[in-house]
């Protein structure tokens, strides 16, 4: 494997960083993501031991590596399931429903509140809740039972016949 010295690394960065950033920005439309791609490409170049026949071959490799890294970033699950902070700031929080039951659930101790909320409001199974919270299924079942009992006591007869 060819070892690249500091001077060669600096030459590569000075020569190609602007090209990589501009190309990456055209794909990703984000300066921060383009900077990440730039670092990724240089890291790959500096650690791969790649040898080039000419400066044109070197430039072509960097362009291809940058484009491929951008395409990988666009395909990533993280990118598809997240939004930028700008979009998140514009989204409003959902309105809290005016409900005595929800208020009573919110007043429960945390372990009961988590189990009740995830089970009744989000529709998760006991097994899924146990996995999410890192607890046994028996513990989640006990938290649901005790939480329901506390809700019966708090809410009285008015809501006892209804599902939470």
């Amino acid at each position: 494997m060819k070892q690249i010295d500091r001077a060669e690394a600096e030459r590569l960065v000075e020569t190609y960083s602007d090209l990589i950033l501009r190309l990456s920005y055209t794909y990703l439309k984000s300066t921060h993501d383009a900077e990440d791609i730039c670092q990724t490409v240089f890291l790959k170049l500096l650690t791969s031991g790649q040898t080039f026949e000419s400066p044109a071959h070197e430039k072509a490799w960097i362009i291809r590596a940058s484009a491929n890294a951008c395409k990988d970033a666009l395909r990533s699950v993280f990118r598809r399931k997240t939004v930028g902070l700008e979009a998140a700031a514009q989204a409003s929080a959902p309105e809290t429903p005016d409900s005595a039951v929800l208020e009573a659930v919110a007043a429960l101790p945390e372990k009961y509140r988590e189990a009740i909320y995830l089970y009744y409001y989000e529709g998760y199974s006991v097994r899924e809740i146990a996995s999410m919270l890192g607890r046994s299924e028996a513990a989640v079942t006990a938290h649901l039972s005790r939480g329901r009992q506390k809700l019966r006591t708090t809410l009285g007869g008015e809501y006892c016949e209804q599902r939470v």
Side-chain angles (χ1 to χ4, degrees), residues 5 12 19 22 25 47 49 53 58 69 76 81-82 94 99 113 123 127 130 135 149 158 160:
D5 64 1
L12 291 168
L19 168 69
R22 283 186 285 119
Y25 185 82
T47 59
E53 299 165 6
E58 180 180 77
S76 78
K81 295 199 181 233
T82 58
S99 166
R113 181 177 62 237
R127 175 173 283 149
R135 298 182 183 138
Q149 185 57 44
E158 183 181 347
C160 284

Side-chain angles (χ1 to χ4, degrees), residues 3 10 12 15 29 31 39 47-48 57 59 62 67 72 75 86 90 93 95-98 117 127 129 133:
Q3 186 67 21
E10 288 176 2
L12 291 168
T15 305
K29 310 289 189 265
T31 304
Q39 289 177 3
T47 59
S48 70
H57 180 229
K59 185 175 183 179
I62 287 174
D72 289 345
R75 280 191 298 260
E86 301 81 26
Q90 295 171 357
E95 292 293 321
T96 305
D98 187 25
Y117 183 81
R127 175 173 283 149
I129 296 169
L133 300 178

Side-chain angles (χ1 to χ4, degrees), residues 3 13 56 62 82 96 100 106-107 110 112 118 121 138 150-151 156:
Q3 186 67 21
V13 169
I62 287 174
T82 58
T96 305
E110 183 179 354
Y112 304 142
L118 291 172
Y121 288 91
K150 287 187 175 290
L151 287 173

